[in-house]
Amino acid sequence: MVIISRTSVIHPLIFSVCPILIIFSQSLNLINPKEILLPVLLVLAIVTAIWVLFAIILKNKKKGAFIVSFSLGIFFSYGYVFNFFSDFTSGSFYLRHVYLLPVYLVFFVVLIFYFIKTKRKLDRATTIANYCSISLLVILSVISSYNYVDRTLHPFTTLNDSTIPISIRDNPPDIYYIILDSYAHPSILQEAYNYDDSEFISFLKSRNFYVSEGSHSNYRHTFLSFASSLNMEYINNRIDNSVKDSVNFHRLYKMTDDNKIMRIMKSYGYDTINFASRDGVTGNIRVADINYCEKNPYVHSQLLITTIKTSVLEPAYWKLFRAFDNQRDLCVFSELSELNKKETRPFFVFAHILLPHSPYRFGPNGETLIEDDQKIGYINQVKFANKEIMEVID
């Protein structure tokens, strides 16, 4: 039994690492366990410094500790709250950071004011907070351990190499599988955005592409579609009922990370190439021989990036890392165009491009901008994606 004295104050330090453990427990297949060290050390260092500062100013370490712990809740809940409410729109109104940030600021000011003015000694409250933080840490550790064991005991079974044909024809063609994420059907572009996409469709047909007129996605989420298409089967054929209703999708992620198509291509003597996206699932596919455009020159830790994007720093993230994200998209278009000059062997290319997917960072000609109006921003990125893909194809 763990015994904590009434004078012990540990809850700020434990609460500070819990948001990181939440993300880690849900993303075991996407995040290297080694990545947890940097975010944890950074958060602990920052939280300790802020706690010491408040303790000195208030001359009370318990008050300082509660300000820090409640501030952590405010700080790390922002991204989840924003993402939840951003799906709700009314006419032209939709949630923006400029609306939500002041609300969070008011909560923070009220919090500080309360603990500055309170005359309570906070001994009992500190003990309760300590045990709550320890309980949360234990729960998250158990969840992470369970997910890890579940992943180990129920690995995704890849295609048996003995079932793959090994014959290959002379001069096999290069194969490109390119996804423009969130690209709407022409009828939806016309109806919802008053945008005529016939020029792009005509271009594809003139280059001997087959355009399926009545196509639609089989799945609502991109990672489900990739797990299906890259393994040439519906995911319900491979995933049992216990996983379908679970938030633990590591087996589905594994289906993309170690997919059947790339293994087949390798057996035919192809080089398999992935163009890394900003999406964690397709950021770096392990079965691929080459991953282009994958490195973040600022922060290499996917866990740290995800932690930032779920916090109050989420609005600042796009400003801080927008230049890199733009460069990565431009890198994909550029490298796609030059690939046939670099590669001597036949190659299979998988390129998941997060355009015209939000956030809206490009104008119609590729100029860098941030567009608050969702309809204008979306169509701008449709135009830019069309322009770049037509150049790539030609």
Side-chain angles (χ1 to χ4, degrees), residues 264-368:
I264 291 176
M265 290 296 101
K266 286 185 176 185
S267 75
Y268 277 119
Y270 276 71
D271 283 334
T272 55
I273 300 169
N274 173 56
F275 281 90
S277 71
R278 288 182 285 109
D279 182 79
V281 182
T282 54
N284 183 13
I285 295 180
R286 294 179 188 177
V287 72
D289 295 314
I290 305 170
N291 284 278
Y292 278 115
C293 308
E294 66 173 319
K295 291 298 183 182
N296 185 324
Y298 305 107
V299 182
H300 293 276
S301 170
Q302 186 64 40
L303 179 59
L304 180 58
I305 292 173
T306 305
T307 303
I308 292 172
K309 290 169 67 176
T310 57
S311 73
V312 171
L313 296 178
E314 200 270 346
Y317 170 84
W318 295 114
K319 294 184 182 297
L320 293 172
F321 297 98
R322 180 181 63 188
F324 166 72
D325 289 332
N326 291 359
Q327 289 168 9
R328 175 148 55 178
D329 289 332
L330 295 174
C331 167
V332 173
F333 290 125
S334 174
E335 292 292 337
L336 274 172
S337 297
E338 300 295 321
L339 203 56
N340 60 345
K341 300 176 183 178
K342 295 181 178 180
E343 296 291 326
T344 56
R345 296 174 62 185
F347 54 81
F348 170 82
V349 174
F350 176 73
H352 173 206
I353 303 172
L354 278 163
L355 288 173
H357 195 288
S358 61
Y360 306 118
R361 300 167 286 114
F362 289 108
N365 295 309
E367 61 271 32
T368 300

Side-chain angles (χ1 to χ4, degrees), residues 82-140:
F82 180 84
N83 290 335
F84 176 79
F85 285 106
S86 62
D87 288 336
F88 298 92
T89 59
S90 178
S92 60
F93 175 84
Y94 59 92
L95 184 64
R96 303 181 185 182
H97 294 298
V98 70
Y99 303 145
L100 188 59
L101 281 172
V103 176
Y104 267 69
L105 180 60
V106 169
F107 278 136
F108 181 68
V109 171
V110 170
L111 171 74
I112 292 180
F113 181 80
Y114 170 78
F115 281 107
I116 289 176
K117 294 297 183 179
T118 185
K119 302 299 183 182
R120 296 176 61 190
K121 292 185 177 181
L122 302 175
D123 291 339
R124 181 177 177 81
T126 296
T127 301
I128 293 173
N130 284 338
Y131 279 109
C132 286
S133 66
I134 292 173
S135 299
L136 180 58
L137 181 64
V138 170
I139 291 171
L140 290 173

